[in-house]
Amino acid sequence: MRDIEERIKKLLVEMTAEEKIGQLIQCGPSLVGAFEVSFEELLDMMFDGRISQEEFGKLMSTATQDFHEDDIRAGKIGSFNGIKNAETANRLQKIAVEESRLGIPLLFGYDVIHGYRTIFPIPLAESCAWDPVLWEKTARIAAIEATAAGVHMTFAPMVDVAKDARWGRVSEGAGEDAYLTSVFGTAKVKGFQDDDLSREDSMAACIKHFAGYGAAEAGRDYNRVDMSMQRLFEEYMPPFEACVKAGARAVMPAFNDINGIPCSVSRWLLTDILRNRLGFDGMTVSDSNAIAECVDHGIAKDRSEAAKLAIEAGMDMDMSSNVYAENLPALLERGVISEADLDRAVTDIMRIKFELGLFDHPYQTSCEREKETLLRPEYRACAREAAAKSMVLLKNEGVLPLKKEIRIGIAGELADQRAEMTGAWAIGANGDDCVSIIDACNASNINYVYTPGIENGVVNKKEIERLSKNCDVWIAAVGEKKDQSGEAASRADIGLPKEQEDLLEALLQTGIPVAAVLFNGRPLAIPWAAKHVPAILEAWHPGVEAGNAVLDILFGDVNPSAKLTTTFPYTTGQCPMYYAHINTGRPGGKGKFTSKYLDTPLSPVFPFGYGLSYTSFEYSNLSIRQEEDMLHILVDVKNTGKAAGEEIVQCYTGQKTGRRVRPVKQLRSFEKIALDPGETKKVSFDIDVKNLGYYDWNMNYTVDRGAMEIFVGTSSVEGLKADIVLK
Ligand code: NOJ
């Protein structure tokens, strides 16, 4: 460590102001040729639907790209976003190392969100596995693949707690709970970075989006965030704190403002909180174009002021906006910004480059390594395991598991669309790698018939009736396409599209049992389907092994064990909806003047922590003991069914009174256990009372000693409770 700091100091002495500023610049390759469009613009085009993900991939691989070689040579670029192959990475690195004056290596960043080439389930899905070992393993594989393709840093994990299902980016995080997101983020950081960042298959983790982005008002992407400091620090900051503790080396400030100051230029956030309070000593990199957007926010009068505010706030690297390159030289010369601020930013970036070993081994991959690494069979096997472990069985009235010899009718175009299975933010993916439900049926000789079921927005009832003669069960693949969640994909109505509900109704009318398989990137409001369709499997966007994993669950080769990490409301109007709500002075109930809606039940359709299995579990003997500051909680869990299965045992606390109102329940711990039929296991939780605190009115962290309810159960609503008075 000291050695690195010494080397940075020496380097700083040799660097010109221009070279220092160059290190703060991250750009993407520009695409040139028939059209002139930057990588970021192209990304935008994909996100807003002007081009598909496949077209994006094709353009990226065939268009002539401008890699700004002259600027690299001149030391004007420190980092790239969007380089995705070993050959290009090494070629550009060679220019930086051998042809620039000081030979400072480039840093290659990329959005490796849920796998690089082997696409795993979207993070929201994977979080439903409640499985830190799996979370770390999939991140490790993603790092091995991405680093083989030349990537040094991933813009992940996204640890934005998200309680509003309208927000499209719920798909990229671990759901609505701060504790679960902290465990998830920690596992991801470990998996990406492993224990030695300088190893060639380790990749720096850039946690994002700091902070509060998940609380965008009305679930509309990029929107304002206005909340109390107490709420920010209790509900949105803990995952960032946990990831910093786990050693995450980079942080990406969020697009949004918090209480009126855009995160990108908030000195309070980026210096007082991130550096001084959380003790972060890595680098910060802006979100794409975010510094420039401070002009649109109305916080900077022009790009020059945006650059000044950002660097003074603690923003080290400018992703894509070019605002630093354009303005920092003059700002420095005029003495508007200090050399010290510039040196701080350069130092932060150099530190990561040293830690990654780039100065000593600038070429961390080769075309051979890349070729033999991507999409290995064992990675696919892990993707299949992850997908099956992420699928939540929401309802099952005796339809599942299916018998092997059954004749299946499959309806819904999502059953036959490979690329849709990747979900949002899978930019290194090749859609054709994915196994659709139809592919999986073909490969396993399953007796099936298939119809998309909807033609030009209308259900083809005749076809459904005709096919019904040849099947014993209908599997309906419905939900969302992958671009209906993710960035810039907020929805004001999170129901199933009308024609999909019509399709389900038509299938039900055949009188044959129906199982709906949902592919989606956010909680959906599906009260009608939840009432009428006898079996529902939430498959999310499951990744490359989608079809195989769905069949594993449908046929019972894998017993479903996943549980929701996000609440499924009745209707969009209930958003934001989450289990850890407060009571109000008039808790919702039968009386008229209580906190509720006139036209919608108070409860969700499917609550946080909920998920079924092909077996059943029984909880008994809950006991709690306090020893000094430790709560020791014990419970017996028995498999009362006929199949072996895994159960996710959840432990919550609920403080009855406090100096500020407290959530009715908060997740504190969980444990996943495997049980054979008839088997009982004792599950224990040790909870440090010091971690049960909150922030009082004056923002002092407070732990009250008083009445507390302990709740241990199979979901956030079903389980055993006991009262304790904390000493
Ligand atoms: C925009 C997104 O908000 C962020 O999550 C992503 O990492 C960057 N663009 C880079 O692609």
Side-chain angles (χ1 to χ4, degrees), residues 274-534:
L274 183 62
R275 304 274 174 192
N276 301 342
R277 181 161 162 170
L278 303 189
F280 176 69
D281 68 349
M283 64 174 267
T284 51
V285 49
S286 80
D287 204 336
S288 190
N289 204 42
I291 304 179
E293 287 164 19
C294 287
V295 178
D296 300 285
H297 273 288
I299 201 83
K301 66 177 183 301
D302 54 23
R303 289 164 66 87
S304 169
E305 191 177 11
K308 168 188 166 351
L309 292 175
I311 194 148
E312 287 181 348
M315 182 76 88
D316 297 332
M317 188 174 270
D318 174 3
M319 181 194 282
S320 309
S321 79
N322 228 27
V323 159
Y324 274 5
E326 283 166 18
N327 297 288
L328 291 188
L331 288 170
L332 193 67
E333 205 176 301
R334 292 196 343 253
V336 179
I337 62 162
S338 70
E339 182 107 25
D341 273 332
L342 180 60
D343 285 357
R344 179 221 70 224
V346 178
T347 302
D348 291 341
I349 294 164
M350 288 304 119
R351 190 178 296 123
I352 306 304
K353 291 189 175 183
F354 273 111
E355 288 174 2
L356 280 163
L358 294 177
F359 280 90
D360 304 319
H361 318 281
Y363 311 106
Q364 302 212 334
T365 186
S366 63
C367 295
E368 295 71 50
R369 179 176 153 218
E370 179 179 28
K371 203 163 149 226
E372 62 96 26
T373 303
L374 304 187
L375 213 62
R376 283 186 182 144
E378 62 268 34
Y379 301 164
R380 266 194 177 280
C382 179
R384 183 169 178 167
E385 177 198 344
K389 283 185 167 168
S390 305
M391 293 180 186
V392 188
L393 184 62
L394 296 176
K395 186 175 174 191
N396 185 21
E397 289 177 346
V399 179
L400 303 175
L402 304 174
K403 299 222 166 62
K404 295 277 176 212
E405 59 283 1
I406 203 164
R407 298 171 309 164
I408 309 180
I410 300 171
E413 58 177 8
L414 283 166
D416 195 23
Q417 293 180 327
R418 293 183 186 134
E420 293 302 328
M421 298 296 105
T422 62
W425 274 117
I427 55 176
N430 174 354
D432 280 338
D433 293 340
C434 293
V435 178
S436 68
I437 292 187
I438 296 298
D439 292 329
C441 286
N442 289 338
S444 19
N445 288 323
I446 281 167
N447 186 350
Y448 77 92
V449 289
Y450 167 66
T451 171
I454 299 171
E455 267 166 40
N456 303 321
V458 180
V459 175
N460 189 341
K461 288 194 181 161
K462 271 206 183 122
E463 179 72 349
I464 289 170
E465 275 159 28
R466 189 180 69 80
L467 294 179
S468 289
K469 298 191 183 95
N470 294 317
C471 53
D472 310 309
V473 65
W474 275 108
I475 302 298
V478 290
E480 293 181 318
K481 299 239 179 192
K482 64 176 189 294
D483 56 11
Q484 286 180 284
S485 64
E487 186 176 351
S490 294
R491 291 179 64 196
D493 177 354
I494 58 163
L496 277 181
K498 163 102 177 51
E499 64 270 19
Q500 291 194 9
E501 239 172 56
D502 291 347
L503 173 64
L504 290 173
E505 195 167 0
L507 297 174
L508 288 169
Q509 275 166 7
T510 64
I512 294 168
V514 178
V517 177
L518 299 174
F519 294 106
N520 44 290
R522 59 153 59 70
L524 296 174
I526 48 165
W528 182 87
K531 185 160 175 206
H532 298 284
V533 179

Side-chain angles (χ1 to χ4, degrees), residues 43 81 111 155 169 208-209 252 255 287-288 319 425 487:
L43 266 181
N81 174 16
D111 286 287
F155 304 119
R169 304 196 82 168
K208 66 188 188 186
H209 305 83
M252 181 186 290
F255 279 127
D287 204 336
S288 190
M319 181 194 282
W425 274 117
E487 186 176 351

Side-chain angles (χ1 to χ4, degrees), residues 242-257:
C243 289
V244 167
K245 233 184 230 156
R249 300 312 291 135
V251 169
M252 181 186 290
F255 279 127
N256 56 278
D257 74 272

Side-chain angles (χ1 to χ4, degrees), residues 168-186:
R169 304 196 82 168
V170 293
S171 62
E172 294 172 55
E176 70 186 50
D177 186 69
Y179 171 74
L180 195 91
T181 304
S182 302
V183 181
F184 181 85
T186 302

Side-chain angles (χ1 to χ4, degrees), residues 122-125 127 158 160-176 214 219 221 480 484-487 489-490 494 520-523 540 565-566:
I122 54 167
L124 181 63
S127 70
M158 182 187 104
D160 295 313
V161 169
K163 303 169 201 245
D164 193 326
R166 291 171 293 185
W167 192 50
R169 304 196 82 168
V170 293
S171 62
E172 294 172 55
E176 70 186 50
D221 208 359
E480 293 181 318
Q484 286 180 284
S485 64
E487 186 176 351
S490 294
I494 58 163
N520 44 290
R522 59 153 59 70
W540 307 107
T565 56
T566 180

Side-chain angles (χ1 to χ4, degrees), residues 64 116 247 577 584:
T64 313
Y116 179 73
M577 193 178 205
T584 81

